[in-house]
């Protein structure tokens, strides 16, 4: 028996079509577009950064999970507010970040409202960047209502990646998500509003695909509203040529002041999200590493270096972008050389379980059950983060067949009350909640107190594989547990299969 371990950084998930290996079947032109985009390629997010500029304040629809005081919740975590920029300021910021962070490859506009409901500001930012920073990929996220009218202009500025948030293809479902849209100078409500929005989203998708633009579809999973419907959404958008589907969990808390938050609409559990992603994966490639970024996020996914580039800090900077481009090209060439070396299949990438066969005189009639393990990592495919520093964990399913990346668990997705009101959940409690369903957590180091609390919660802490490649370490722990007889047969606990 052989436990197959994906080479470093790649995603072995059957549902994740964006890992390096799974891109192999794509035409060269598409691979080139995806290769260094941290959202469109799971592997790329270990190596490359993105940034957003918040230039788009207005929105042309209302979603029940949105409060206009905050960023657009279609890509951002609700409850965060970004500093609004004018296009000139945004361009300056992009040049400053690109010079300081050479692995920043993508500039996205994702709010704080809908970028295409603010076409002048959004397009002016793109126009200037296409001219001044031709080495940066441009990306936009939209609810789709204004999209069909702007496809030509987007293509004019070399926008190669567009995200459309499509929560439904059925107006009856849509009427439960969107109370109104603002369309042709009128406010339209109810089912009719959803019908128009859906039609515009589909039209925009078709037009973009016809122009060769890569389209990612985001869907917010809303239990009891569109959970049973999202497989159909996946099927439809795939048939129309969408490249990737990103199913994100609804975040609805009363303190966000959204309709759903105030109505007590619940968020999905991690298990429900993974089950839905797995169900949709039969139809198309799924994104599982989304971090629900702020509309002014800067850095690697999950990282926020925005405070290093506030307006007061960049205002008087003199940026030699020609020199910066040269440096960026060199750094990115080094990254590509490293990635190429990492993706060479090596003996180490396939961990033989022959030794297990030797210690077991008879093959077991039923297969040992899979195990979910969480990993603390700063990226780069190795276990290199202190447990207490992790704000998100990568979760892997280890089984006798393989080790699969199945998603990211963020620790701070939910507001847990303020420290002063006495309702605050500690960071450790939050983390344990986020790791629900995981049986081990692998990290570089961990303190005594969290060790005990994790064990009490049924999660085995493990700091023995610090700085090792993630998949190999997860496979090694799984093998240890198998040898120790900790893994009963799969039929004993089938529910453990989902995250
Ligand atoms: Fe930004 Fe979005 Fe472009 Fe990425 S984010 S506009 S596609 S560059 Fe990425 Fe952030 Fe998830 Fe968005 S992790 S929220 S999917
Ligand atoms: Fe809010 Fe974004 Fe929906 Fe507009 S599209 S209502 S900004 S979540």
């Amino acid at each position: 028996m052989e436990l197959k371990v994906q080479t470093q950084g790649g995603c072995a998930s059957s549902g994740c079509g964006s890992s390096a290996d799974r891109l192999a079947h794509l035409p060269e032109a598409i691979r080139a577009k995806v290769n260094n985009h941290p959202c469109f390629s799971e592997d790329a997010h270990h190596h490359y950064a993105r940034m957003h500029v918040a230039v788009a304040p207005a929105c042309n629809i209302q979603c029940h999970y949105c409060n206009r005081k905050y960023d657009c919740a279609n890509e951002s975590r609700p409850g965060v507010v970004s500093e609004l920029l004018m296009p000139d300021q945004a361009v300056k910021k992009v040049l400053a970040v690109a010079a300081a962070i050479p692995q920043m490859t993508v500039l996205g506009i994702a709010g704080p409202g809908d970028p295409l409901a603010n076409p002048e500001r959004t397009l002016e930012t793109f126009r200037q960047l296409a001219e001044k920073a031709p080495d940066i990929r441009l990306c936009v996220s939209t609810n789709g209502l204004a999209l069909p009218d702007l496809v030509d202009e987007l293509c004019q500025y070399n926008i190669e990646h567009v995200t459309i948030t499509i929560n439904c293809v059925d107006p009856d479902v849509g009427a439960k998500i969107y109370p109104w849209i603002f369309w042709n100078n009128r406010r339209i409500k109810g089912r009719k509003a959803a019908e128009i929005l859906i039609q515009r989203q589909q039209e925009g998708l078709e037009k973009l695909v016809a122009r060769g633009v890569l389209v990612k579809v985001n869907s917010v999973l809303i239990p009891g509203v569109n959970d049973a419907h999202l497989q159909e959404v996946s099927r439809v958008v795939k048939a129309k040529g969408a490249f990737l589907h990103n199913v994100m969990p609804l975040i609805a808390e009363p303190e966000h002041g959204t309709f759903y938050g105030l109505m007590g609409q619940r968020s999905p559990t991690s298990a429900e999200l993974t089950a839905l992603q797995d169900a949709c994966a039969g139809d198309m490639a799924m994104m599982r590493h989304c971090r629900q970024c702020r509309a002014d996020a800067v850095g690697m996914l999950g990282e926020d270096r925005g405070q290093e580039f506030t307006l007061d800090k960049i205002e008087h900077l003199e940026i030699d972008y020609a020199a910066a481009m040269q440096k960026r090209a060199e750094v990115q060439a080094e990254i590509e050389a490293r990635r190429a070396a990492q993706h060479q299949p090596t003996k180490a990438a396939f961990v033989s379980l022959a030794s297990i066969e030797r210690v077991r005189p008879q093959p077991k009639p039923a297969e040992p059950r899979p195990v979910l393990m969480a990993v603390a990592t700063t990226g780069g495919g190795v276990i290199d983060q202190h447990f207490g520093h992790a704000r998100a964990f990568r979760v892997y399913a280890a089984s006798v067949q393989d080790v699969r990346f199945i998603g990211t668990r963020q620790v701070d997705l939910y507001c847990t009350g303020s420290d002063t009101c006495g309702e605050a959940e500690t960071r450790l409690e939050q983390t344990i909640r986020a790791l629900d369903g995981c049986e081990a957590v692998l990290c570089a180091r961990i303190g005594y107190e969290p060790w005990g609390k994790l064990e009490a919660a049924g999660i085995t802490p493990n700091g023995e594989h610090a700085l090792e490649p993630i998949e190999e370490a997860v496979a090694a722990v799984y093998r240890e547990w198998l040898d120790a007889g900790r893994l009963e047969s799969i039929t004993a606990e089938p529910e453990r299969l989902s995250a």
Side-chain angles (χ1 to χ4, degrees):
M1 191 189 297
E2 190 177 62
L3 181 61
K4 188 180 169 196
V5 181
Q6 186 80 1
T7 49
Q8 186 276 320
C11 166
S13 160
S14 59
C16 178
S18 58
S19 75
D21 289 343
R22 300 219 168 240
L23 298 179
H25 67 286
L26 294 171
E28 177 56 35
I30 293 184
R31 267 192 294 158
K33 283 183 190 175
V34 173
N35 183 51
N36 65 358
H37 193 305
C39 303
F40 279 68
S41 159
E42 201 275 328
D43 184 67
H45 96 279
H46 295 293
H47 307 279
Y48 293 107
R50 55 75 185 100
M51 72 173 289
H52 289 165
V53 284
V55 293
C59 191
N60 48 8
I61 70 172
Q62 178 66 57
C63 306
H64 272 327
Y65 46 75
C66 178
N67 176 347
R68 298 303 175 78
K69 283 195 315 204
Y70 304 123
D71 287 358
C72 173
N74 279 334
E75 279 228 334
S76 309
R77 186 151 41 90
V80 297
V81 188
S82 298
E83 181 186 33
L84 191 64
L85 302 179
M86 295 304 290
D88 288 352
Q89 296 170 318
V91 170
K92 181 90 191 255
K93 181 172 175 178
V94 174
L95 298 182
V97 171
I101 308 178
Q103 65 273 40
M104 191 280 282
T105 49
V106 179
L107 175 277
I109 301 183
D114 184 74
L116 301 187
N118 303 259
E120 297 82 12
R121 286 161 161 259
T122 297
L123 294 171
E124 174 59 15
T125 307
F126 283 145
R127 188 193 65 73
Q128 287 194 36
L129 285 171
E131 188 187 310
K132 294 180 182 166
D135 63 333
I136 295 177
R137 295 188 183 285
L138 304 176
C139 191
V140 66
S141 170
T142 176
N143 63 40
L145 184 62
L147 178 60
D149 304 332
L150 294 167
V151 167
D152 288 344
E153 274 189 274
L154 291 173
C155 291
Q156 192 183 325
Y157 303 128
N158 296 330
I159 315 296
E160 295 174 327
H161 302 83
V162 173
T163 295
I164 315 173
T165 298
I166 300 180
N167 293 320
C168 56
V169 288
D170 175 345
D172 289 324
V173 177
K176 297 178 194 157
I177 303 172
Y178 307 104
W180 55 260
I181 64 170
F182 196 74
W183 170 241
N184 283 345
N185 300 317
R186 280 192 308 134
R187 193 177 300 268
I188 299 166
K189 296 181 183 170
R191 191 180 188 283
K192 183 71 188 163
E195 199 176 291
I196 294 169
L197 179 63
I198 291 166
Q199 186 274 322
R200 297 285 290 175
Q201 290 171 337
Q202 298 298 320
E203 186 185 342
L205 168 60
E206 287 167 22
K207 279 190 168 179
L208 287 168
V209 170
R211 299 290 295 265
V213 176
L214 290 186
V215 181
K216 169 165 75 64
V217 168
N218 280 0
S219 300
V220 180
L221 168 55
I222 311 162
V225 175
N226 69 349
D227 47 353
H229 177 58
L230 282 181
Q231 267 182 273
E232 173 67 1
V233 171
S234 220
R235 192 191 61 73
V236 169
V237 299
K238 184 197 176 190
K240 294 194 174 171
F243 179 77
L244 196 60
H245 194 188
N246 176 23
V247 178
M248 312 155 81
L250 169 76
I251 303 173
E253 300 287 332
E255 53 271 34
H256 296 151
T258 62
F259 177 83
Y260 281 152
L262 296 170
M263 294 300 289
Q265 167 66 50
R266 75 172 178 90
S267 304
T269 63
S270 300
E272 287 169 333
L273 178 65
T274 306
L276 204 275
Q277 288 171 332
D278 287 347
C280 291
D283 281 328
M284 75 182 298
M286 300 301 294
M287 177 179 187
R288 295 174 191 251
H289 60 286
C290 176
R291 300 296 293 275
Q292 291 176 278
C293 315
R294 298 170 61 108
D296 60 359
V298 174
M300 307 294 281
L301 295 195
E303 186 179 61
D304 194 0
R305 298 179 57 180
Q307 285 311 306
E308 295 171 42
F309 303 96
T310 49
L311 278 184
D312 55 317
K313 291 186 181 127
I314 61 166
E315 215 168 20
H316 304 296
L317 275 185
E318 288 295 328
I319 301 158
D320 178 351
Y321 200 71
M325 264 209 300
Q326 175 69 30
K327 183 177 161 207
R328 289 166 52 75
E330 288 164 12
V331 169
Q332 290 177 24
E334 282 168 24
I335 292 172
E336 284 309 301
R338 211 164 50 238
R339 289 176 84 188
Q342 285 170 343
H343 287 128
Q344 289 296 323
T346 62
K347 265 192 142 178
F350 296 92
V351 181
S352 167
L353 286 195
S355 55
I356 293 165
E357 292 300 324
R358 278 199 299 276
V359 296
R360 279 186 298 172
Q362 297 293 326
K364 286 192 173 178
E367 201 169 75
R369 65 178 174 82
V371 173
L372 293 181
M373 300 192 201
V375 171
T377 174
T378 60
V382 292
I383 300 168
D384 62 352
Q385 198 169 36
H386 191 295
F387 174 81
H389 298 166
R391 295 293 168 265
F393 292 83
R394 288 171 67 81
V395 174
Y396 292 79
S399 69
V400 287
Q401 280 86 32
D402 59 14
V403 172
R404 289 192 303 138
F405 168 63
I406 58 163
T408 305
R409 300 273 183 88
Q410 282 182 226
V411 173
D412 54 358
L413 264 184
Y414 304 97
C415 173
T416 55
S418 76
D419 289 333
T420 50
C421 73
E423 293 170 355
E425 194 180 26
T426 66
R427 173 74 68 182
L428 180 55
E429 286 165 345
Q430 270 184 295
T431 304
I432 289 172
R433 184 153 67 107
L435 297 183
D436 178 43
C438 298
E439 294 182 60
V441 59
L442 280 58
C443 53
R445 291 183 62 196
I446 181 167
Y448 182 75
E449 189 204 344
W451 185 289
K453 291 206 167 148
L454 281 165
E455 278 193 328
I459 303 168
T460 305
N462 186 317
E464 290 166 21
H465 296 274
L467 301 182
E468 289 181 15
I470 293 171
E471 287 88 348
E472 289 176 31
V474 170
V477 173
Y478 188 78
R479 272 200 318 276
E480 279 167 29
W481 288 19
L482 203 53
D483 287 347
R486 279 183 70 168
L487 305 177
E488 62 274 29
S489 80
I490 195 170
T491 48
E493 278 191 87
E495 74 277 9
R496 297 267 193 192
L497 275 166
S498 59

